[in-house]
Each structure stands twice: as structure tokens, then as C-alpha cells.
Amino acid sequence: MNTSNTTRQNPITRRRWGQWALAATMGAGLAACGGGGGGSDEPPTLREAFDRLQPGMTKKQVYELTARTPVRSSTAHYQYEDGSEKLYVSFAPDSSTTSDNFLINDATWSIINGESITRGY
């Protein structure tokens, strides 16, 4: 007769505990990186878009960067408005090609009744 006072843990209980621990760790990891969805569905603010503008960008690239439709547009410019922010981007013909490609010329970001920044490209 075994009079040992040691208790054996049920292996099924240990396995179940391991599964829960793994699930909790994975859940915390996904929550820390935003769920793994690849980013926010929100477009960047107009200031963020302004800061990401680069020399040589085409009209299409600027449109994709801002992730919104301009409130006014023409061959030579896009104008965006969002709340109190405004972004005005002008374009000039690409002189290195004979195509109708237009490249960023300059941009102005501003807050209504406040700060304003202009950059040439």
C-alpha cells in the first residue's frame, strides 16, 4: 500500500492549461500590434500626408497618399479640406517626358485661422 502524500496532476488538466496559456499569449501579442490587420482604415491627417509628400510624386501618388478625394481639382492642383485642416498641392508638367504626366511642384498645409507651412518640390 502506498502511503505517499504526493498528488498527481491529471495530464488532461495540464494540457488544457497549456492551451489556455498559449491562446492568452497569442491574444495579447495580436492586441499589442493592432490585431495584425496591417494598419488603420483611417486616412492620414492632412498634416501627415503633407509630411509624407516627396519630390517627383505624380498626381496619382498624391491622391493615393491622402486617401481621399480632393474638394477641388484641376490639371494643375488638388485642394483637400478636413475639419480645420487644408492641403493645397500644385503640379507642373513633367519636362522629362512628352506624356501628360504632372509632378508635384509645391504644397501648402494650413489650419483655418492658424498655422501655415509651404514647401517647394
Side-chain angles (χ1 to χ4, degrees):
M1 178 157 133
N2 189 355
T3 58
S4 169
N5 238 357
T6 60
T7 58
R8 250 181 96 179
Q9 206 174 12
N10 186 338
I12 294 174
T13 304
R14 284 187 302 205
R15 186 178 306 134
R16 180 68 62 199
W17 175 250
Q19 289 171 340
W20 278 105
L22 178 62
T25 302
M26 290 176 62
L30 285 175
C33 69
S40 173
D41 290 337
E42 293 290 320
T45 66
L46 293 179
R47 174 59 193 261
E48 291 168 342
F50 174 77
D51 288 339
R52 294 179 191 160
L53 294 173
Q54 298 292 319
M57 291 182 87
T58 64
K59 290 180 76 172
K60 180 180 179 187
Q61 290 170 322
V62 171
Y63 180 84
E64 290 170 350
L65 173 71
T66 59
R68 54 177 56 87
T69 302
V71 293
R72 290 177 196 76
S73 67
S74 72
T75 304
H77 79 273
Y78 283 161
Q79 183 174 334
Y80 299 93
E81 295 178 7
D82 189 10
S84 64
E85 288 187 291
K86 288 187 176 188
L87 177 61
Y88 181 87
V89 183
S90 70
F91 301 92
D94 182 357
S95 60
S96 66
T97 68
T98 57
S99 70
D100 290 334
N101 198 27
F102 285 78
L103 303 179
I104 189 169
N105 187 44
D106 62 40
T108 300
W109 170 84
S110 63
I111 296 177
I112 297 172
N113 297 325
E115 183 181 4
S116 175
I117 303 170
T118 299
R119 291 187 188 138
Y121 298 91

